[in-house]
Every structure is written in structure tokens, then in C-alpha cells.
Amino acid sequence: MSSITIVLMALPFFLGFAIYLLPKLDRYLALIGAIASLGYALLVFIQPSPLTLQFLDNFGVTLTIDSLSGYFILTNALVTLAVLFYCWASDKTAFFYAQILMLHGSVNATFICSDFISLYVALEVSGIAAFLLIAYPRNDRSIWVALRYLFISNTAMLFYLVGAVLVYKANHSFSFAGLEQVPPEAIALLFVGLLVKGGIFVSGLWLPLTHSESETPVSALLSGAVVKAGVYPLVRCALMVEEVEPIVRIFGVATALLGVCYAVFEKDTKRVLASSTTSQLGLILAAPEVGGFYALTHGLVKALLFLIAGNLPSRDLKELQNQPLRTSIWITLVVASFSISGFPLLAGFGAKMLTLKNLVSWQVILMNIAIVGTATVYAKFIFLPHQKPENSDRIKLGFWLAAILLLGGLIVANAVYVEAYTVVNITKALVKIALGWLAYFFIIRRITLKLPRALENFDHLIGAMSLMSILLFWMVLA
């Protein structure tokens, strides 16, 4: 298993460079990289005990492979495969597929890191690859969005790097476990970097614009897999260090509520999905013990929703209410919306029940509000009009292959927590969905309210990082 892990880490980068030598095989090489990750993730689940690899004893450079890593790597593999299917018949160049592999490999690396310095390297590589993919269309808008992402990401990683140095100074090791014996400012700086990278709370408000303005397959990759590279270390630290778990839970709840508030009042489909991503990341952090399973279910459904959004006739929800969708697309959209709303028979139901089961008492009411809010958000999509197409335009085969893969994953993943299927749980889930739909019909649909986007401004995002570091410092001291 140790050798396989090292090969898995190197393979996407090797294949990415090979694409430049064999550009005609770009799609196939990218496919091999994603399938290899899928096989490795499944192997992680069947190994009897967690695997720990220590490379540099003096620096505490350590890799940990367990079921938590497995869920995140599986998410990355399935989302990347779906994106490759979606792009298969497109005119994307070898450069695009090479960057997909670089991003895939670096995100996988973050999911097995247990020390701050190797995590820093993996996050930086993923940031550069994501920047190149966002800027891929090469128009003014995409270049500005990509540069904005890169600048914010790099600024956050400066905070993180200083925090990592302080951890090493205190422990002579970069290991996550060293957080127990570091000064408060080290935790504050590290967490600021990770909160920004993970799109958490106000420091993550760069996410709606970046994810909504990227090309459809890139949006699916970013929201489905890449943003979890910043969330995974927070979950891992919460599980390893008892003192930081309450902080992670607090930010989880705050992020879930903030994201759902923005998503409820958005009228642009891609911004609705991007704001919902923020909210769902909060649900992952709210119960770190089961964050891996929730990350898997969210990654699959959000990638699917972004791919569907790319095939809608408009991004404006008001226009879509007067422009019936193709019935086949609408059915796919409804199934995905049901899953993320927590409807039984789909993986979102089990993930939400498992999360609720692992909340502490003060979180329960707030997270139930966030879940009802999620049902309200996705009622916007479920109740869109639809009809059979009058013209002969067909949806590309690649879209349907991606949709089948992701929907199949949502159905199969439903088996992870079959204990959730009790009469009480099913009733609770249906009641929350009903309340969300009622809120949509009687409140949200009848009002026109646009939340201010001032906090998403570039200069405000940088200022938010400083305020977050002060808040974190205070929380650690408390």
C-alpha cells in the first residue's frame, strides 16, 4: 500500500507532463489518471487499518491514509471523471487536460497530508492549476476572475505559511498533532489561510464570483472537489486536536447559515449553486466525524448541478420561469435537487441524517434551519416549468455519461448509512423539505431582495482576512 500511495501521488503529474509529449492522447491520459485515483480510493476503504507514512523524521512530514482520505479522494476521482466525460467531444486543448491532471494530483495530495509544510506545497500547486483553468477562455473577464482568485489565494497562504513556521518553532515538527502546543497566533494564522482556501464564512466570499464565472466544467471541478482541499485539513485537525474542534464546529454553523442566506435570495443560477456550496461546506465542518461522507455526497451532486446549469437556456431564474426546460434536463435537475435537499432514497438523505446525529446540542436548531433553507434554495429549480423539446437539438452524449456517473454515485453512496431509514428520520426529512418549499412559495417567491455584495469586493476580501485572524486569535485564547 505504501508503494501504491507514492505511485498515486506521482502518476497525475507524470501523465500531465506526458500530455505535452503526446497531445493526441490528452483525453485518454487524463482518464487514466482519474481512474487510477478511483481504484486507489476503493482500495483505501478495504484496507484493514489506517496507513501512516513518515518521510522526513526531523520535520514531521507525514501522510495519513484512512477512510476520511478515501472519501475525499473518491470525490475527486468521480468529479474529475465526470468532467472528462463532459469535455470529451469538446475542442479543449492538451493544455486544458494537462492542468486538469495537475489539479487532480495536487488535490489528491492535500487529502493525505498530515503536516503543514507538505500541505502548503500541495495547496500552492492546486492554486496555480486552478488559476490556469479559470483563465483558460483567455477573455478579459476570465483573466480578471483568475487573477483575483490567485491573489486572494496567495495572500491567504502567506498567513498560513507564517503559522506553519510558528508550529515548527514550537514543536520542531510540522505535524498537525503539534497544534496542541503552539501559541494562539499560530492557530489563528493557519486557520485564516485554510478558511480562505476552503471558502469558509466571510473570508470565503471570493467563492460565489469565482465559481459562477468559470466555464461550466471548471465550475463543476472547483465546487465539486477543489474547494474541499481547504476544508479537509480543518476536518483532520479537528479530529486530531481536541482544542480546535469547537472552533471548526462554530465556523461550520456560521458558514452554513451565511451561505444559505445568500443562496436563498440569489436570482442567478450559477451564483445560487456557488453560494449553496459555501453553505454545504459549513455542513461538512459542523460535524467533523462524518465530514468525509458529507463531502462525497456534496461533491457529486454539486458537480452535477453545475454541469446541468451549463445546459440551461439562461442563467436568470426569472427568465427560466417563462422558458420551459427540456424535460430530460429538468428530471436530472430535480433528482439532484432532491438529493441535496435531503430527500430519502438519495445519498443526501443519509449524509444529512448522519451529520445531524453527530452535532452537539447547541448546533441542532441552527443546522436544521440551514437544512430547511437548502430545501428553499432548491425549490427554485424543482418548480421550474418543463416540456418536451420541439427542435431536434440534442444534449451532448458526454453530458449524459457524466450525469449517469454522478447520479449512480449518489444512489450507491446511499448504502453507506442505511440505518438512517427509520420512519422518524424519513418523516423529519420530508417535513423539513415541505417547510422549505412553503417558505419558497409564500415568502421567497413573492419578494425581491438582493443581499449586498460589498463584502465580495476585492479590497474587502483582503480586509476580511485580517479581521478573521483577530477573531480566531480571540477564539483560541478563549
Side-chain angles (χ1 to χ4, degrees):
M1 191 67 183
S2 304
S3 302
I4 296 175
T5 300
I6 294 170
V7 169
L8 173 82
M9 287 184 62
L11 184 63
F13 299 103
F14 171 77
L15 293 173
F17 289 119
I19 283 178
Y20 288 107
L21 300 174
L22 303 165
K24 291 186 178 179
L25 299 178
D26 49 7
R27 294 162 176 76
Y28 300 98
L29 292 173
L31 197 62
I32 291 171
I35 291 174
S37 292
L38 177 61
Y40 180 81
L42 297 176
L43 196 59
V44 168
F45 286 113
I46 62 173
Q47 71 171 355
S49 58
L51 175 68
T52 301
L53 302 177
Q54 194 155 15
F55 291 103
L56 299 171
D57 292 345
N58 293 334
F59 295 96
V61 175
T62 310
L63 305 181
T64 300
I65 302 97
D66 57 9
S67 60
L68 178 64
S69 306
Y71 278 120
F72 279 88
I73 294 172
L74 183 60
T75 306
N76 192 23
L78 291 172
V79 171
T80 305
L81 273 174
V83 168
L84 290 174
F85 288 152
Y86 184 86
C87 298
W88 196 266
S90 69
D91 57 355
K92 302 294 185 194
T93 62
F95 175 82
F96 180 84
Y97 291 101
Q99 296 312 315
I100 289 267
L101 274 174
M102 298 293 178
L103 186 61
H104 181 76
S106 56
V107 170
N108 268 352
T110 63
F111 295 154
I112 58 176
C113 288
S114 286
D115 68 280
F116 293 110
I117 197 64
S118 55
L119 178 66
Y120 172 77
V121 175
L123 287 175
E124 285 290 50
V125 175
S126 69
I128 294 169
F131 159 75
L132 292 172
L133 285 172
I134 296 167
Y136 180 76
R138 303 289 194 276
N139 55 46
D140 291 345
R141 181 66 173 168
S142 67
I143 290 173
W144 159 243
V145 172
L147 285 172
R148 175 179 177 270
Y149 169 79
L150 186 67
F151 188 86
I152 292 168
S153 176
N154 283 356
T155 305
M157 293 315 291
L158 280 177
F159 282 91
Y160 174 93
L161 186 58
V162 175
V165 171
L166 291 175
V167 170
Y168 184 80
K169 184 181 177 184
N171 299 291
H172 301 291
S173 168
F174 287 108
S175 172
F176 285 173
L179 277 183
E180 290 177 339
Q181 301 171 1
V182 297
E185 58 268 27
I187 297 178
L189 291 167
L190 283 167
F191 273 41
V192 165
L194 294 175
L195 291 174
V196 174
K197 287 291 285 189
I200 304 301
F201 201 45
V202 294
S203 55
L205 287 177
W206 57 267
L207 189 153
L209 176 67
T210 305
H211 288 203
S212 62
E213 295 301 322
S214 301
E215 283 190 318
T216 294
V218 178
S219 297
L221 262 183
L222 293 176
S223 264
V226 177
V227 75
K228 294 174 179 65
V231 171
Y232 169 84
L234 293 168
V235 173
R236 177 68 77 183
C237 288
L239 296 177
M240 292 178 67
V241 184
E242 189 178 346
E243 288 79 4
V244 304
E245 188 195 11
I247 299 174
V248 172
R249 285 181 181 272
I250 290 170
F251 275 105
V253 172
T255 305
L257 293 173
L258 179 71
V260 84
C261 284
Y262 271 88
V264 160
F265 294 107
E266 279 291 349
K267 305 298 181 189
D268 179 291
T269 54
K270 291 190 75 174
R271 282 189 66 91
V272 169
L273 296 179
S275 298
S276 169
T277 293
T278 301
S279 175
Q280 298 299 303
L281 294 173
L283 279 153
I284 295 172
L285 294 180
E289 300 93 332
V290 294
F293 180 47
Y294 201 96
L296 171 66
T297 60
H298 172 256
L300 299 184
V301 76
K302 192 50 63 70
L304 177 58
L305 285 164
F306 267 111
L307 295 182
I308 295 170
N311 285 276
L312 297 180
S314 170
R315 284 180 57 167
D316 191 328
L317 279 164
K318 283 188 176 177
E319 289 183 13
L320 290 175
Q321 287 169 354
N322 300 311
Q323 198 170 353
L325 305 183
R326 183 187 292 260
T327 300
S328 55
I329 286 285
W330 177 78
I331 292 172
T332 313
L333 180 60
V334 167
V335 174
S337 299
F338 273 7
S339 180
I340 201 167
S341 299
F343 197 85
L345 303 179
L346 294 163
F349 170 73
K352 282 187 167 52
M353 287 301 144
L354 200 54
T355 299
L356 290 171
K357 184 182 175 184
N358 285 275
L359 296 177
V360 295
S361 57
W362 67 266
Q363 291 180 298
V364 174
I365 294 176
L366 296 172
M367 295 312 293
N368 275 301
I369 292 172
I371 290 172
V372 171
T374 301
T376 305
V377 169
Y378 287 93
K380 297 178 183 178
F381 295 108
I382 292 170
F383 295 104
L384 286 174
H386 60 94
Q387 67 179 16
K388 289 185 178 180
E390 295 178 356
N391 55 45
S392 59
D393 292 343
R394 292 183 179 276
I395 304 295
K396 291 179 182 176
L397 176 63
F399 168 79
W400 290 117
L401 290 175
I404 290 169
L405 175 68
L406 296 169
L407 285 174
L410 288 172
I411 293 170
V412 172
N414 198 36
V416 170
Y417 188 48
V418 291
E419 295 83 358
Y421 284 92
T422 64
V423 175
V424 174
N425 284 343
I426 292 173
T427 305
K428 286 180 179 176
L430 294 178
V431 167
K432 288 171 198 167
I433 292 172
L435 288 174
W437 289 2
L438 288 173
Y440 168 68
F441 279 111
F442 292 105
I443 303 174
I444 303 303
R445 201 174 182 180
R446 299 185 178 193
I447 62 174
T448 303
L449 176 63
K450 190 173 182 180
L451 294 183
R453 296 181 181 174
L455 288 175
E456 296 182 37
N457 291 343
F458 184 71
D459 46 353
H460 291 171
L461 287 170
I462 300 299
M465 290 187 209
S466 302
L467 294 177
M468 288 294 291
S469 63
I470 295 170
L471 174 63
L472 278 161
F473 182 76
W474 174 78
M475 290 174 73
V476 175
L477 278 180

